[in-house]
Amino acid sequence: MEIKKLTNLHGEITVPGDKSISHRAVMFGSLAKGTTRITHFLEGADCLSTISCFRKMGIDIENNNGEILVHGKGLRGLSSPTDILDVGNSGTTTRLISGILAGQNFVSELTGDDSIQSRPMKRIMTPLLSMGADITSIKGNNCVPLRIAGHPLKAIHYDSPVASAQVKSCVLLAGMYSDGVTSVTEPVLSRNHTEIMLNYFGAQVTSEGTTASIVPEPSLHAREITVPGDISSAAYFIAAGLLVPGSEILLKNVGINPTRDGLLRVCKDMGADITMLNVNMDGEPTADLLVRTSSLHGTTVGGEIIPTLIDEIPMIAVMAAFAEGTTIIKDAKELKVKESDRILVMAENLSCMGADITPTDDGMIIHGGKPLHGAVIDSYLDHRVAMSFAIAGLLCDGPLSIKGGDCVKISYPEFYEDLYRLGE
């Protein structure tokens, strides 16, 4: 994929539906009684993997021109899979579905692509084993493929060593099949889509500080869900609007959940001109974002804000390279266990473009403001990396090529078309 310099980006964009919310809508709709209708669902590869897994467990899921109908069978309505459950590249599918499978009355196996088979699953295996689950890593390396022999579970309180919505959600979902109230305490609060949506479906989930608790055996009922635009997908257009000269972009109906809006706070710290319009705080908060070209400066990103923007850090690193002054990103070791080691990958690729960037054990230090030039970028098949460097390619001198650039289909199949439409 070759990217060329652009100026004057203008127009409106409605980014695809939120990936995290799309996954959960299918999962919880499958466990609810009745038909759940999902609009603005993200039809990226990851979310389609979730649909495939639940179809293999007997759930009828229709796709009517982008409207997803999930014909749920209730909390205990899943049946033994007709095949091995293939999660593709989706860490969310893997970790959340494991919590559900742990409480079933059948045996299942999970597999996925090469990337997912190297990502750490001990972080969910540990709490599930303490609940009495029978879950094993088939290769003995605490990674996928996994074998899960479901049976009744016991309630626990789990002190999670990491702030991870996937870990928290896995434990809460297993807690639906346990013998008492199950709770999870995190070091800092991670995204709370699971808590919001489970309550919407009829579960009893309470949150206090960084602890979430769930009452077992909820009766879940089908709902209508409109998925907000994914702020992680909006991040690339926010950055483009801020950095590309003479630009003004309106992003429609973007999710601004406070557990996900760290990018907006960092942009403000860097001097960004972003205006929120049509703010709606019911359920999952949303707003239209008006973004105008701005002169950005360096900042420090670390501490409790990290879980609210972990997927946006590759884009923040690119923004920092084009901003004046120094940006320090710290407390972000989670970047090492994403679709790629995003610390090393961002440092390697930005260095190839002439950026002054130093990787650290938990982040990176970027001295911005240097002119950057085109290069051949290796995405390592990481969709966040590919999209971040597509924005860099709009700004650097000379063409920029992205190896494996088609991996954006994982979360944003129309990304390149939408980007170039703004430059027409």
Side-chain angles (χ1 to χ4, degrees):
M1 183 61 63
E2 187 166 293
I3 310 294
K4 295 180 181 179
K5 198 167 187 173
L6 287 178
T7 57
N8 301 304
L9 302 181
H10 283 83
E12 290 187 6
I13 289 285
T14 300
V15 296
D18 187 286
K19 186 152 74 87
S20 297
I21 295 172
S22 295
H23 280 301
R24 287 160 173 79
V26 170
M27 291 184 185
F28 305 167
S30 297
L31 302 177
K33 296 175 182 176
T35 299
T36 290
R37 178 176 281 102
I38 310 166
T39 54
H40 200 48
F41 178 84
L42 171 61
E43 294 190 62
D46 278 8
C47 296
L48 296 179
S49 292
T50 292
I51 286 178
S52 172
C53 287
F54 280 88
R55 280 175 171 162
K56 288 178 180 177
M57 292 186 286
I59 302 300
D60 180 14
I61 303 175
E62 301 177 63
N63 185 344
N64 295 330
N65 296 317
E67 181 183 75
I68 307 298
L69 300 176
V70 182
H71 301 285
K73 293 185 175 180
L75 192 66
R76 298 188 178 277
L78 300 180
S79 54
S80 181
T82 55
D83 196 357
I84 292 175
L85 302 176
D86 189 341
V87 301
N89 185 250
S90 178
T92 301
T93 308
T94 310
R95 295 189 177 114
L96 270 62
I97 205 172
S98 293
I100 294 169
L101 293 173
Q104 303 304 315
N105 62 357
F106 52 74
V107 177
S108 54
E109 288 188 15
L110 296 176
T111 192
D113 66 11
D114 290 344
S115 171
I116 209 71
Q117 291 191 37
S118 66
R119 295 179 68 180
M121 295 301 153
K122 186 175 181 180
R123 55 181 51 190
I124 59 161
M125 293 173 68
T126 296
L128 289 178
L129 288 168
S130 71
M131 297 178 78
D134 184 349
I135 178 171
T136 54
S137 169
I138 290 173
K139 294 182 179 178
N141 61 353
N142 293 319
C143 296
V144 173
L146 301 175
R147 179 185 183 276
I148 303 173
H151 59 77
L153 303 174
K154 61 184 180 182
I156 61 166
H157 173 80
Y158 184 59
D159 284 306
S160 178
V162 293
S164 166
Q166 293 179 1
V167 173
K168 173 174 62 177
S169 299
C170 173
V171 177
L172 292 175
L173 292 171
M176 296 194 300
Y177 301 94
S178 72
D179 59 4
V181 174
T182 292
S183 57
V184 184
T185 298
E186 303 180 281
V188 296
L189 186 64
S190 67
R191 59 185 68 174
N192 63 355
H193 303 306
T194 291
E195 297 96 301
I196 291 172
M197 193 182 291
L198 278 178
N199 280 331
Y200 182 55
F201 272 93
Q204 290 179 262
V205 184
T206 56
S207 300
E208 186 173 343
T210 61
T211 299
S213 305
I214 189 166
V215 174
E217 297 294 336
S219 180
L220 305 181
H221 297 279
R223 301 303 301 256
E224 304 268 334
I225 295 176
T226 300
V227 181
D230 195 325
I231 193 168
S232 295
S233 295
Y236 310 102
F237 296 98
I238 292 171
L242 295 174
L243 293 171
V244 175
S247 297
E248 182 176 290
I249 300 172
L250 182 65
L251 294 157
K252 303 284 286 184
N253 194 42
V254 177
I256 55 167
N257 184 310
T259 65
R260 291 282 299 283
D261 71 351
L263 171 74
L264 298 179
R265 286 179 268 161
V266 168
C267 287
K268 184 178 179 181
D269 288 344
M270 297 178 79
D273 181 353
I274 302 175
T275 304
M276 286 193 190
L277 307 170
N278 301 318
V279 177
N280 182 353
M281 299 304 290
D282 293 336
E284 285 284 352
T286 61
D288 298 340
L289 304 177
L290 181 62
V291 185
R292 298 185 179 95
T293 302
S294 307
S295 296
L296 302 184
H297 54 75
T299 188
T300 297
V301 184
E304 293 188 3
I305 200 172
I306 292 294
T308 71
L309 49 64
I310 192 69
D311 286 334
E312 290 74 72
I313 289 179
M315 191 65 257
I316 291 171
V318 170
M319 291 167 59
F322 288 99
E324 291 297 326
T326 299
T327 295
I328 299 171
I329 299 170
K330 59 183 181 178
D331 305 318
K333 282 188 176 180
E334 277 294 293
L335 292 173
K336 294 182 174 183
V337 292
K338 291 291 186 176
E339 284 85 336
S340 65
D341 181 337
R342 289 178 178 165
I343 293 175
L344 294 182
V345 169
M346 293 308 297
E348 171 191 314
N349 285 319
L350 280 171
S351 293
C352 287
M353 298 179 67
D356 184 349
I357 177 170
T358 303
T360 65
D361 185 52
D362 65 349
M364 55 198 90
I365 300 169
I366 304 158
H367 301 291
K370 294 181 63 176
L372 302 190
H373 53 76
V376 177
I377 299 299
D378 192 337
S379 71
Y380 291 89
L381 301 181
D382 186 329
H383 56 131
R384 305 287 182 206
V385 171
M387 288 187 279
S388 297
F389 279 99
I391 304 307
L394 303 180
L395 296 150
C396 65
D397 293 324
L400 180 143
S401 297
I402 304 173
K403 292 169 62 178
D406 283 347
C407 66
V408 302
K409 68 180 183 294
I410 288 169
S411 62
Y412 198 154
E414 294 84 29
F415 172 72
Y416 296 111
E417 291 89 334
D418 283 355
L419 184 60
Y420 279 98
R421 181 165 55 81
L422 291 172
E424 291 176 352

